[in-house]
Amino acid sequence: NQMEKTIEPLIPRIDLLNEIRERFEVTFTLEVVPSICCEHEKPCISPSMKVIDFCSKVRAELDIDWYIDNI
């Protein structure tokens, strides 16, 4: 849900983002850093197709760094 909220204002600007990427030779990254406290469960994270599609269209890398605290 948070990933979708992050990309939502950028979706109408995909063409502009691609122009910026090509003109200035930059790369884009969607950085996700969830903090998870768990005792027995094994958490998982799965980007939605909307997020995957956006990242594909702007050639963005998706980087997920986990911070897991086992209580």
Side-chain angles (χ1 to χ4, degrees):
N1 191 27
Q2 188 62 45
M3 284 187 271
E4 287 190 17
K5 287 180 184 178
T6 300
I7 67 164
E8 195 65 40
L10 300 172
I11 290 174
R13 296 174 171 87
I14 288 175
D15 290 338
L16 177 60
L17 291 168
N18 282 321
E19 183 180 326
I20 291 168
R21 180 179 48 79
E22 291 173 11
R23 180 182 289 174
F24 299 104
E25 298 180 12
V26 298
T27 58
F28 298 120
T29 302
L30 177 58
E31 183 82 28
V32 181
V33 187
S35 294
I36 300 169
C37 296
C38 64
E39 189 172 341
H40 302 292
E41 295 182 29
K42 294 182 181 178
C44 68
I45 189 168
S46 179
S48 68
M49 288 305 299
K50 186 175 186 177
V51 171
I52 292 169
D53 188 47
F54 171 79
C55 288
S56 176
K57 286 180 179 175
V58 298
R59 301 183 52 88
E61 295 182 8
L62 180 58
D63 185 22
I64 302 172
D65 293 329
W66 292 78
Y67 289 101
I68 300 175
D69 184 15
N70 289 323
I71 299 174

Short mmCIF file of all heavy atoms in Angstrom, two decimals:
data_model
loop_
_atom_site.label_atom_id
_atom_site.label_comp_id
_atom_site.label_asym_id
_atom_site.label_seq_id
_atom_site.Cartn_x
_atom_site.Cartn_y
_atom_site.Cartn_z
N ASN A 1 0.82 -1.19 0.00
CA ASN A 1 0.00 0.00 0.00
C ASN A 1 0.87 1.26 0.00
O ASN A 1 0.59 2.21 -0.72
CB ASN A 1 -0.94 -0.04 1.20
CG ASN A 1 -2.01 1.02 1.12
OD1 ASN A 1 -2.38 1.46 0.04
ND2 ASN A 1 -2.49 1.44 2.26
N GLN A 2 1.91 1.27 0.80
CA GLN A 2 2.78 2.44 0.87
C GLN A 2 3.52 2.66 -0.45
O GLN A 2 3.73 3.80 -0.88
CB GLN A 2 3.77 2.32 2.02
CG GLN A 2 4.57 3.58 2.27
CD GLN A 2 3.69 4.76 2.66
OE1 GLN A 2 2.79 4.63 3.48
NE2 GLN A 2 3.95 5.91 2.08
N MET A 3 3.93 1.59 -1.11
CA MET A 3 4.61 1.74 -2.40
C MET A 3 3.69 2.39 -3.42
O MET A 3 4.12 3.26 -4.18
CB MET A 3 5.09 0.37 -2.90
CG MET A 3 6.31 -0.15 -2.19
SD MET A 3 6.95 -1.64 -2.94
CE MET A 3 6.01 -2.88 -2.06
N GLU A 4 2.42 1.98 -3.43
CA GLU A 4 1.47 2.58 -4.36
C GLU A 4 1.24 4.06 -4.05
O GLU A 4 1.15 4.87 -4.96
CB GLU A 4 0.15 1.81 -4.36
CG GLU A 4 0.27 0.47 -5.05
CD GLU A 4 -1.06 -0.21 -5.28
OE1 GLU A 4 -2.11 0.46 -5.20
OE2 GLU A 4 -1.03 -1.42 -5.54
N LYS A 5 1.18 4.41 -2.78
CA LYS A 5 1.02 5.82 -2.40
C LYS A 5 2.23 6.63 -2.85
O LYS A 5 2.09 7.80 -3.22
CB LYS A 5 0.84 5.95 -0.89
CG LYS A 5 -0.50 5.49 -0.39
CD LYS A 5 -0.58 5.67 1.11
CE LYS A 5 -1.89 5.13 1.66
NZ LYS A 5 -1.96 5.26 3.12
N THR A 6 3.39 6.03 -2.82
CA THR A 6 4.61 6.73 -3.21
C THR A 6 4.64 7.00 -4.71
O THR A 6 5.02 8.09 -5.14
CB THR A 6 5.85 5.90 -2.81
OG1 THR A 6 5.83 5.72 -1.39
CG2 THR A 6 7.15 6.59 -3.22
N ILE A 7 4.25 6.02 -5.51
CA ILE A 7 4.34 6.19 -6.96
C ILE A 7 3.13 6.91 -7.57
O ILE A 7 3.21 7.41 -8.69
CB ILE A 7 4.54 4.85 -7.69
CG1 ILE A 7 3.31 3.95 -7.55
CG2 ILE A 7 5.81 4.17 -7.22
CD1 ILE A 7 3.26 2.80 -8.50
N GLU A 8 2.02 6.97 -6.85
CA GLU A 8 0.78 7.54 -7.39
C GLU A 8 0.98 8.93 -8.04
O GLU A 8 0.54 9.14 -9.17
CB GLU A 8 -0.30 7.59 -6.31
CG GLU A 8 -1.69 7.81 -6.85
CD GLU A 8 -2.18 6.67 -7.72
OE1 GLU A 8 -1.92 5.50 -7.40
OE2 GLU A 8 -2.82 6.96 -8.75
N PRO A 9 1.64 9.88 -7.37
CA PRO A 9 1.82 11.19 -8.02
C PRO A 9 2.80 11.16 -9.19
O PRO A 9 2.85 12.10 -9.99
CB PRO A 9 2.34 12.09 -6.89
CG PRO A 9 2.79 11.19 -5.82
CD PRO A 9 2.11 9.87 -6.00
N LEU A 10 3.57 10.10 -9.30
CA LEU A 10 4.56 10.00 -10.38
C LEU A 10 4.00 9.35 -11.65
O LEU A 10 4.56 9.55 -12.73
CB LEU A 10 5.78 9.21 -9.90
CG LEU A 10 6.52 9.81 -8.70
CD1 LEU A 10 7.58 8.85 -8.20
CD2 LEU A 10 7.11 11.15 -9.06
N ILE A 11 2.95 8.60 -11.52
CA ILE A 11 2.40 7.87 -12.67
C ILE A 11 2.05 8.81 -13.84
O ILE A 11 2.41 8.51 -14.98
CB ILE A 11 1.21 6.98 -12.26
CG1 ILE A 11 1.74 5.82 -11.41
CG2 ILE A 11 0.45 6.48 -13.47
CD1 ILE A 11 0.65 4.94 -10.80
N PRO A 12 1.40 9.95 -13.59
CA PRO A 12 1.11 10.83 -14.73
C PRO A 12 2.37 11.47 -15.34
O PRO A 12 2.29 12.10 -16.39
CB PRO A 12 0.21 11.92 -14.12
CG PRO A 12 -0.20 11.45 -12.79
CD PRO A 12 0.79 10.43 -12.35
N ARG A 13 3.50 11.31 -14.70
CA ARG A 13 4.74 11.93 -15.16
C ARG A 13 5.73 10.93 -15.74
O ARG A 13 6.93 11.21 -15.85
CB ARG A 13 5.38 12.69 -14.01
CG ARG A 13 4.51 13.85 -13.53
CD ARG A 13 5.08 14.51 -12.31
NE ARG A 13 4.37 15.72 -11.98
CZ ARG A 13 3.28 15.78 -11.22
NH1 ARG A 13 2.76 14.67 -10.73
NH2 ARG A 13 2.69 16.93 -10.97
N ILE A 14 5.26 9.75 -16.12
CA ILE A 14 6.15 8.71 -16.64
C ILE A 14 6.94 9.21 -17.85
O ILE A 14 8.15 9.00 -17.94
CB ILE A 14 5.36 7.43 -16.97
CG1 ILE A 14 4.94 6.74 -15.66
CG2 ILE A 14 6.18 6.48 -17.85
CD1 ILE A 14 4.06 5.52 -15.84
N ASP A 15 6.27 9.89 -18.78
CA ASP A 15 6.98 10.40 -19.96
C ASP A 15 8.07 11.39 -19.57
O ASP A 15 9.19 11.34 -20.10
CB ASP A 15 6.01 11.05 -20.95
CG ASP A 15 5.10 10.04 -21.63
OD1 ASP A 15 5.47 8.84 -21.67
OD2 ASP A 15 4.03 10.45 -22.12
N LEU A 16 7.78 12.28 -18.64
CA LEU A 16 8.77 13.24 -18.18
C LEU A 16 9.93 12.53 -17.47
O LEU A 16 11.09 12.87 -17.68
CB LEU A 16 8.12 14.26 -17.24
CG LEU A 16 9.05 15.29 -16.62
CD1 LEU A 16 9.75 16.12 -17.70
CD2 LEU A 16 8.28 16.19 -15.66
N LEU A 17 9.62 11.55 -16.65
CA LEU A 17 10.67 10.80 -15.97
C LEU A 17 11.59 10.11 -16.97
O LEU A 17 12.82 10.11 -16.81
CB LEU A 17 10.06 9.78 -15.00
CG LEU A 17 9.37 10.37 -13.77
CD1 LEU A 17 8.57 9.31 -13.05
CD2 LEU A 17 10.37 11.02 -12.85
N ASN A 18 11.01 9.55 -18.02
CA ASN A 18 11.83 8.89 -19.03
C ASN A 18 12.67 9.90 -19.80
O ASN A 18 13.83 9.62 -20.14
CB ASN A 18 10.95 8.07 -19.98
CG ASN A 18 10.54 6.76 -19.36
OD1 ASN A 18 11.33 6.12 -18.67
ND2 ASN A 18 9.33 6.35 -19.60
N GLU A 19 12.13 11.06 -20.04
CA GLU A 19 12.90 12.11 -20.69
C GLU A 19 14.08 12.53 -19.82
O GLU A 19 15.21 12.68 -20.30
CB GLU A 19 12.01 13.33 -20.98
CG GLU A 19 12.71 14.43 -21.72
CD GLU A 19 11.79 15.62 -21.97
OE1 GLU A 19 10.58 15.42 -22.19
OE2 GLU A 19 12.31 16.76 -21.95
N ILE A 20 13.83 12.70 -18.54
CA ILE A 20 14.90 13.05 -17.59
C ILE A 20 15.95 11.94 -17.56
O ILE A 20 17.16 12.20 -17.58
CB ILE A 20 14.32 13.30 -16.18
CG1 ILE A 20 13.50 14.59 -16.19
CG2 ILE A 20 15.43 13.36 -15.14
CD1 ILE A 20 12.66 14.78 -14.94
N ARG A 21 15.49 10.69 -17.48
CA ARG A 21 16.42 9.55 -17.43
C ARG A 21 17.33 9.53 -18.64
O ARG A 21 18.54 9.34 -18.53
CB ARG A 21 15.63 8.24 -17.32
CG ARG A 21 16.52 7.00 -17.25
CD ARG A 21 15.71 5.72 -17.12
NE ARG A 21 14.61 5.61 -18.05
CZ ARG A 21 14.74 5.25 -19.34
NH1 ARG A 21 15.93 4.98 -19.83
NH2 ARG A 21 13.68 5.15 -20.11
N GLU A 22 16.76 9.74 -19.83
CA GLU A 22 17.54 9.69 -21.05
C GLU A 22 18.44 10.93 -21.21
O GLU A 22 19.61 10.80 -21.57
CB GLU A 22 16.61 9.57 -22.26
CG GLU A 22 15.92 8.23 -22.32
CD GLU A 22 14.86 8.14 -23.40
OE1 GLU A 22 14.78 9.04 -24.26
OE2 GLU A 22 14.10 7.17 -23.39
N ARG A 23 17.90 12.09 -20.94
CA ARG A 23 18.65 13.33 -21.14
C ARG A 23 19.84 13.46 -20.19
O ARG A 23 20.92 13.87 -20.57
CB ARG A 23 17.75 14.54 -20.98
CG ARG A 23 18.51 15.87 -21.19
CD ARG A 23 17.64 17.07 -20.99
NE ARG A 23 16.70 17.18 -22.10
CZ ARG A 23 15.72 18.07 -22.16
NH1 ARG A 23 15.56 18.93 -21.16
NH2 ARG A 23 14.92 18.12 -23.19
N PHE A 24 19.62 13.09 -18.93
CA PHE A 24 20.65 13.29 -17.92
C PHE A 24 21.35 11.99 -17.49
O PHE A 24 22.17 12.01 -16.57
CB PHE A 24 20.07 14.00 -16.69
CG PHE A 24 19.51 15.36 -17.01
CD1 PHE A 24 18.14 15.55 -17.11
CD2 PHE A 24 20.36 16.43 -17.26
CE1 PHE A 24 17.62 16.80 -17.42
CE2 PHE A 24 19.85 17.68 -17.57
CZ PHE A 24 18.48 17.87 -17.66
N GLU A 25 21.00 10.89 -18.17
CA GLU A 25 21.60 9.59 -17.89
C GLU A 25 21.56 9.24 -16.40
O GLU A 25 22.58 8.93 -15.78
CB GLU A 25 23.03 9.54 -18.42
CG GLU A 25 23.10 9.71 -19.92
CD GLU A 25 24.51 9.67 -20.47
OE1 GLU A 25 25.45 9.28 -19.73
OE2 GLU A 25 24.68 10.02 -21.64
N VAL A 26 20.37 9.35 -15.83
CA VAL A 26 20.18 9.02 -14.41
C VAL A 26 19.49 7.66 -14.30
O VAL A 26 18.95 7.14 -15.27
CB VAL A 26 19.34 10.10 -13.68
CG1 VAL A 26 20.05 11.43 -13.71
CG2 VAL A 26 17.96 10.21 -14.28
N THR A 27 19.53 7.14 -13.11
CA THR A 27 18.79 5.92 -12.82
C THR A 27 17.80 6.21 -11.70
O THR A 27 18.02 7.10 -10.88
CB THR A 27 19.73 4.77 -12.38
OG1 THR A 27 20.46 5.17 -11.23
CG2 THR A 27 20.69 4.39 -13.50
N PHE A 28 16.73 5.47 -11.70
CA PHE A 28 15.72 5.62 -10.67
C PHE A 28 15.68 4.36 -9.82
O PHE A 28 15.86 3.25 -10.32
CB PHE A 28 14.33 5.84 -11.27
CG PHE A 28 14.21 7.08 -12.09
CD1 PHE A 28 13.88 7.02 -13.44
CD2 PHE A 28 14.42 8.33 -11.52
CE1 PHE A 28 13.76 8.17 -14.20
CE2 PHE A 28 14.30 9.49 -12.28
CZ PHE A 28 13.97 9.40 -13.62
N THR A 29 15.42 4.54 -8.53
CA THR A 29 15.27 3.42 -7.61
C THR A 29 14.10 3.69 -6.69
O THR A 29 13.96 4.79 -6.15
CB THR A 29 16.54 3.24 -6.74
OG1 THR A 29 17.67 3.04 -7.60
CG2 THR A 29 16.41 2.05 -5.81
N LEU A 30 13.25 2.69 -6.54
CA LEU A 30 12.20 2.74 -5.53
C LEU A 30 12.75 1.98 -4.33
O LEU A 30 12.92 0.76 -4.36
CB LEU A 30 10.90 2.11 -6.04
CG LEU A 30 9.75 2.05 -5.04
CD1 LEU A 30 9.38 3.45 -4.54
CD2 LEU A 30 8.55 1.37 -5.66
N GLU A 31 13.10 2.72 -3.29
CA GLU A 31 13.72 2.16 -2.10
C GLU A 31 12.64 1.89 -1.05
O GLU A 31 11.93 2.80 -0.65
CB GLU A 31 14.75 3.14 -1.54
CG GLU A 31 15.52 2.65 -0.35
CD GLU A 31 16.68 1.76 -0.76
OE1 GLU A 31 17.21 1.92 -1.86
OE2 GLU A 31 17.04 0.90 0.07
N VAL A 32 12.54 0.65 -0.63
CA VAL A 32 11.54 0.25 0.36
C VAL A 32 12.29 -0.26 1.58
O VAL A 32 13.13 -1.16 1.47
CB VAL A 32 10.62 -0.87 -0.20
CG1 VAL A 32 9.58 -1.27 0.82
CG2 VAL A 32 9.98 -0.43 -1.51
N VAL A 33 11.99 0.33 2.75
CA VAL A 33 12.68 -0.05 3.98
C VAL A 33 11.65 -0.28 5.08
O VAL A 33 11.41 0.59 5.91
CB VAL A 33 13.71 1.02 4.41
CG1 VAL A 33 14.54 0.51 5.58
CG2 VAL A 33 14.61 1.41 3.24
N PRO A 34 11.03 -1.46 5.09
CA PRO A 34 10.06 -1.73 6.14
C PRO A 34 10.76 -2.16 7.43
O PRO A 34 11.80 -2.82 7.41
CB PRO A 34 9.24 -2.90 5.57
CG PRO A 34 10.16 -3.58 4.62
CD PRO A 34 11.09 -2.51 4.09
N SER A 35 10.20 -1.72 8.55
CA SER A 35 10.65 -2.19 9.86
C SER A 35 9.63 -3.20 10.34
O SER A 35 8.43 -2.91 10.40
CB SER A 35 10.74 -1.03 10.86
OG SER A 35 11.75 -0.14 10.48
N ILE A 36 10.12 -4.37 10.71
CA ILE A 36 9.22 -5.46 11.06
C ILE A 36 9.63 -6.05 12.41
O ILE A 36 10.80 -6.37 12.62
CB ILE A 36 9.25 -6.57 9.99
CG1 ILE A 36 8.82 -5.96 8.65
CG2 ILE A 36 8.38 -7.75 10.38
CD1 ILE A 36 9.06 -6.85 7.47
N CYS A 37 8.67 -6.15 13.30
CA CYS A 37 8.88 -6.83 14.56
C CYS A 37 8.06 -8.11 14.52
O CYS A 37 6.85 -8.07 14.31
CB CYS A 37 8.43 -5.96 15.74
SG CYS A 37 9.40 -4.46 15.91
N CYS A 38 8.72 -9.21 14.68
CA CYS A 38 7.98 -10.48 14.61
C CYS A 38 8.57 -11.47 15.60
O CYS A 38 9.75 -11.46 15.88
CB CYS A 38 7.99 -11.04 13.20
SG CYS A 38 9.62 -11.49 12.62
N GLU A 39 7.70 -12.31 16.08
CA GLU A 39 8.14 -13.33 17.01
C GLU A 39 8.05 -14.71 16.37
O GLU A 39 8.98 -15.49 16.42
CB GLU A 39 7.30 -13.28 18.28
CG GLU A 39 7.84 -14.17 19.38
CD GLU A 39 7.11 -13.95 20.69
OE1 GLU A 39 6.45 -12.91 20.84
OE2 GLU A 39 7.20 -14.83 21.53
N HIS A 40 6.91 -15.00 15.73
CA HIS A 40 6.71 -16.33 15.17
C HIS A 40 6.44 -16.32 13.67
O HIS A 40 6.68 -17.30 13.00
CB HIS A 40 5.53 -17.02 15.87
CG HIS A 40 5.73 -17.15 17.34
ND1 HIS A 40 6.69 -17.96 17.90
CD2 HIS A 40 5.12 -16.53 18.38
CE1 HIS A 40 6.64 -17.85 19.22
NE2 HIS A 40 5.70 -16.98 19.54
N GLU A 41 5.95 -15.22 13.16
CA GLU A 41 5.59 -15.16 11.76
C GLU A 41 6.80 -14.84 10.89
O GLU A 41 7.72 -14.19 11.33
CB GLU A 41 4.51 -14.10 11.52
CG GLU A 41 3.21 -14.43 12.20
CD GLU A 41 2.17 -13.36 11.90
OE1 GLU A 41 2.25 -12.75 10.81
OE2 GLU A 41 1.30 -13.15 12.73
N LYS A 42 6.74 -15.31 9.65
CA LYS A 42 7.76 -14.96 8.67
C LYS A 42 7.14 -13.94 7.73
O LYS A 42 6.30 -14.28 6.91
CB LYS A 42 8.21 -16.21 7.91
CG LYS A 42 8.92 -17.21 8.79
CD LYS A 42 9.40 -18.38 8.01
CE LYS A 42 10.09 -19.36 8.95
NZ LYS A 42 10.53 -20.55 8.26
N PRO A 43 7.54 -12.68 7.86
CA PRO A 43 6.92 -11.64 7.04
C PRO A 43 7.32 -11.76 5.58
O PRO A 43 8.38 -12.29 5.25
CB PRO A 43 7.46 -10.35 7.65
CG PRO A 43 8.73 -10.75 8.30
CD PRO A 43 8.56 -12.17 8.75
N CYS A 44 6.46 -11.28 4.73
CA CYS A 44 6.78 -11.23 3.30
C CYS A 44 6.32 -9.88 2.75
O CYS A 44 5.47 -9.22 3.34
CB CYS A 44 6.14 -12.38 2.55
SG CYS A 44 4.36 -12.28 2.45
N ILE A 45 6.89 -9.52 1.64
CA ILE A 45 6.50 -8.28 0.98
C ILE A 45 6.40 -8.59 -0.50
O ILE A 45 7.24 -9.29 -1.06
CB ILE A 45 7.51 -7.15 1.27
CG1 ILE A 45 6.97 -5.82 0.77
CG2 ILE A 45 8.86 -7.44 0.70
CD1 ILE A 45 7.74 -4.63 1.27
N SER A 46 5.36 -8.07 -1.10
CA SER A 46 5.14 -8.34 -2.50
C SER A 46 4.63 -7.07 -3.18
O SER A 46 3.51 -6.64 -2.91
CB SER A 46 4.12 -9.47 -2.65
OG SER A 46 3.88 -9.72 -4.01
N PRO A 47 5.42 -6.48 -4.06
CA PRO A 47 4.95 -5.30 -4.78
C PRO A 47 3.76 -5.65 -5.67
O PRO A 47 3.72 -6.72 -6.26
CB PRO A 47 6.15 -4.88 -5.63
CG PRO A 47 7.32 -5.61 -5.06
CD PRO A 47 6.79 -6.83 -4.40
N SER A 48 2.82 -4.75 -5.75
CA SER A 48 1.65 -4.97 -6.61
C SER A 48 2.06 -4.86 -8.07
O SER A 48 3.13 -4.33 -8.41
CB SER A 48 0.57 -3.94 -6.30
OG SER A 48 1.01 -2.66 -6.72
N MET A 49 1.21 -5.31 -8.97
CA MET A 49 1.47 -5.19 -10.40
C MET A 49 1.57 -3.72 -10.80
O MET A 49 2.32 -3.38 -11.70
CB MET A 49 0.40 -5.90 -11.21
CG MET A 49 0.50 -7.42 -11.15
SD MET A 49 2.12 -8.06 -11.65
CE MET A 49 2.22 -7.50 -13.33
N LYS A 50 0.83 -2.86 -10.13
CA LYS A 50 0.89 -1.43 -10.41
C LYS A 50 2.29 -0.89 -10.15
O LYS A 50 2.84 -0.12 -10.95
CB LYS A 50 -0.14 -0.70 -9.54
CG LYS A 50 -0.29 0.77 -9.83
CD LYS A 50 -1.42 1.34 -8.99
CE LYS A 50 -1.72 2.77 -9.34
NZ LYS A 50 -2.85 3.30 -8.59
N VAL A 51 2.89 -1.31 -9.05
CA VAL A 51 4.24 -0.88 -8.69
C VAL A 51 5.25 -1.47 -9.68
O VAL A 51 6.15 -0.77 -10.17
CB VAL A 51 4.59 -1.27 -7.24
CG1 VAL A 51 6.06 -1.03 -6.94
CG2 VAL A 51 3.70 -0.51 -6.26
N ILE A 52 5.12 -2.74 -9.97
CA ILE A 52 6.02 -3.40 -10.90
C ILE A 52 5.93 -2.77 -12.28
O ILE A 52 6.94 -2.51 -12.94
CB ILE A 52 5.73 -4.91 -10.96
CG1 ILE A 52 6.10 -5.57 -9.62
CG2 ILE A 52 6.49 -5.58 -12.11
CD1 ILE A 52 5.62 -6.99 -9.47
N ASP A 53 4.71 -2.48 -12.72
CA ASP A 53 4.51 -1.86 -14.02
C ASP A 53 5.15 -0.47 -14.07
O ASP A 53 5.82 -0.12 -15.04
CB ASP A 53 3.01 -1.78 -14.33
CG ASP A 53 2.72 -1.32 -15.74
OD1 ASP A 53 3.36 -1.84 -16.68
OD2 ASP A 53 1.86 -0.43 -15.91
N PHE A 54 4.95 0.33 -13.03
CA PHE A 54 5.55 1.66 -12.98
C PHE A 54 7.07 1.55 -13.05
O PHE A 54 7.72 2.26 -13.83
CB PHE A 54 5.13 2.41 -11.72
CG PHE A 54 5.88 3.69 -11.52
CD1 PHE A 54 5.55 4.82 -12.23
CD2 PHE A 54 6.95 3.75 -10.63
CE1 PHE A 54 6.26 6.01 -12.07
CE2 PHE A 54 7.67 4.92 -10.47
CZ PHE A 54 7.32 6.05 -11.18
N CYS A 55 7.66 0.70 -12.23
CA CYS A 55 9.11 0.55 -12.21
C CYS A 55 9.63 0.12 -13.58
O CYS A 55 10.67 0.60 -14.04
CB CYS A 55 9.54 -0.46 -11.14
SG CYS A 55 9.37 0.15 -9.44
N SER A 56 8.90 -0.75 -14.23
CA SER A 56 9.29 -1.19 -15.56
C SER A 56 9.24 -0.04 -16.56
O SER A 56 10.17 0.13 -17.37
CB SER A 56 8.38 -2.33 -16.01
OG SER A 56 8.67 -2.71 -17.33
N LYS A 57 8.20 0.75 -16.51
CA LYS A 57 8.03 1.84 -17.48
C LYS A 57 9.10 2.92 -17.36
O LYS A 57 9.46 3.54 -18.35
CB LYS A 57 6.65 2.46 -17.34
CG LYS A 57 5.55 1.58 -17.90
CD LYS A 57 4.19 2.21 -17.76
CE LYS A 57 3.13 1.30 -18.35
NZ LYS A 57 1.78 1.81 -18.14
N VAL A 58 9.59 3.15 -16.15
CA VAL A 58 10.63 4.17 -15.97
C VAL A 58 12.01 3.54 -15.76
O VAL A 58 12.97 4.23 -15.45
CB VAL A 58 10.30 5.17 -14.83
CG1 VAL A 58 9.03 5.92 -15.12
CG2 VAL A 58 10.26 4.49 -13.48
N ARG A 59 12.07 2.23 -15.92
CA ARG A 59 13.31 1.46 -15.77
C ARG A 59 13.93 1.70 -14.39
O ARG A 59 15.14 1.90 -14.24
CB ARG A 59 14.28 1.77 -16.89
CG ARG A 59 13.70 1.46 -18.27
CD ARG A 59 14.66 1.68 -19.40
NE ARG A 59 15.93 1.02 -19.24
CZ ARG A 59 16.21 -0.23 -19.61
NH1 ARG A 59 15.30 -0.97 -20.17
NH2 ARG A 59 17.42 -0.73 -19.43
N ALA A 60 13.08 1.66 -13.38
CA ALA A 60 13.54 1.86 -12.00
C ALA A 60 13.85 0.52 -11.35
O ALA A 60 13.15 -0.47 -11.56
CB ALA A 60 12.46 2.57 -11.18
N GLU A 61 14.89 0.51 -10.56
CA GLU A 61 15.20 -0.66 -9.75
C GLU A 61 14.31 -0.63 -8.51
O GLU A 61 13.94 0.43 -8.02
CB GLU A 61 16.66 -0.66 -9.33
CG GLU A 61 17.62 -0.81 -10.49
CD GLU A 61 19.06 -0.85 -10.05
OE1 GLU A 61 19.33 -0.92 -8.82
OE2 GLU A 61 19.93 -0.82 -10.92
N LEU A 62 14.00 -1.79 -8.01
CA LEU A 62 13.22 -1.92 -6.78
C LEU A 62 14.14 -2.53 -5.75
O LEU A 62 14.61 -3.66 -5.91
CB LEU A 62 11.99 -2.79 -7.02
CG LEU A 62 11.07 -3.03 -5.84
CD1 LEU A 62 10.54 -1.72 -5.29
CD2 LEU A 62 9.91 -3.92 -6.26
N ASP A 63 14.45 -1.77 -4.70
CA ASP A 63 15.38 -2.22 -3.68
C ASP A 63 14.63 -2.33 -2.36
O ASP A 63 14.05 -1.35 -1.88
CB ASP A 63 16.53 -1.21 -3.57
CG ASP A 63 17.60 -1.65 -2.59
OD1 ASP A 63 17.71 -2.86 -2.31
OD2 ASP A 63 18.35 -0.79 -2.11
N ILE A 64 14.65 -3.52 -1.77
CA ILE A 64 13.94 -3.75 -0.51
C ILE A 64 14.97 -4.14 0.54
O ILE A 64 15.64 -5.16 0.43
CB ILE A 64 12.86 -4.85 -0.65
CG1 ILE A 64 11.86 -4.45 -1.73
CG2 ILE A 64 12.19 -5.10 0.69
CD1 ILE A 64 10.86 -5.54 -2.10
N ASP A 65 15.11 -3.29 1.55
CA ASP A 65 16.00 -3.55 2.68
C ASP A 65 15.13 -3.81 3.91
O ASP A 65 14.38 -2.94 4.33
CB ASP A 65 16.91 -2.34 2.95
CG ASP A 65 17.90 -2.10 1.83
OD1 ASP A 65 18.30 -3.08 1.18
OD2 ASP A 65 18.27 -0.94 1.63
N TRP A 66 15.27 -4.96 4.47
CA TRP A 66 14.48 -5.36 5.63
C TRP A 66 15.18 -5.00 6.93
O TRP A 66 16.38 -5.19 7.06
CB TRP A 66 14.27 -6.88 5.64
CG TRP A 66 13.42 -7.40 4.57
CD1 TRP A 66 13.79 -7.60 3.27
CD2 TRP A 66 12.08 -7.81 4.66
NE1 TRP A 66 12.74 -8.11 2.56
CE2 TRP A 66 11.67 -8.27 3.39
CE3 TRP A 66 11.14 -7.86 5.70
CZ2 TRP A 66 10.40 -8.75 3.13
CZ3 TRP A 66 9.88 -8.34 5.43
CH2 TRP A 66 9.52 -8.78 4.16
N TYR A 67 14.43 -4.48 7.88
CA TYR A 67 14.90 -4.33 9.26
C TYR A 67 13.96 -5.16 10.11
O TYR A 67 12.82 -4.80 10.34
CB TYR A 67 14.87 -2.86 9.69
CG TYR A 67 15.94 -2.05 9.01
CD1 TYR A 67 15.65 -1.25 7.92
CD2 TYR A 67 17.26 -2.14 9.44
CE1 TYR A 67 16.65 -0.52 7.28
CE2 TYR A 67 18.27 -1.42 8.81
CZ TYR A 67 17.94 -0.60 7.73
OH TYR A 67 18.92 0.09 7.09
N ILE A 68 14.47 -6.31 10.55
CA ILE A 68 13.64 -7.26 11.27
C ILE A 68 14.16 -7.37 12.71
O ILE A 68 15.34 -7.61 12.94
CB ILE A 68 13.65 -8.65 10.60
CG1 ILE A 68 13.12 -8.50 9.16
CG2 ILE A 68 12.83 -9.65 11.39
CD1 ILE A 68 13.19 -9.76 8.35
N ASP A 69 13.24 -7.21 13.63
CA ASP A 69 13.56 -7.32 15.04
C ASP A 69 12.83 -8.53 15.60
O ASP A 69 11.60 -8.53 15.70
CB ASP A 69 13.14 -6.05 15.78
CG ASP A 69 13.54 -6.06 17.24
OD1 ASP A 69 14.36 -6.91 17.63
OD2 ASP A 69 13.02 -5.22 17.99
N ASN A 70 13.56 -9.57 15.94
CA ASN A 70 12.95 -10.76 16.55
C ASN A 70 12.81 -10.53 18.05
O ASN A 70 13.81 -10.39 18.76
CB ASN A 70 13.80 -12.01 16.29
CG ASN A 70 13.74 -12.44 14.87
OD1 ASN A 70 12.71 -12.35 14.21
ND2 ASN A 70 14.85 -12.91 14.35
N ILE A 71 11.58 -10.46 18.48
CA ILE A 71 11.32 -10.18 19.89
C ILE A 71 11.48 -11.45 20.71
O ILE A 71 11.16 -12.49 20.37
CB ILE A 71 9.90 -9.62 20.06
CG1 ILE A 71 9.80 -8.31 19.26
CG2 ILE A 71 9.58 -9.39 21.51
CD1 ILE A 71 8.41 -7.73 19.23
#
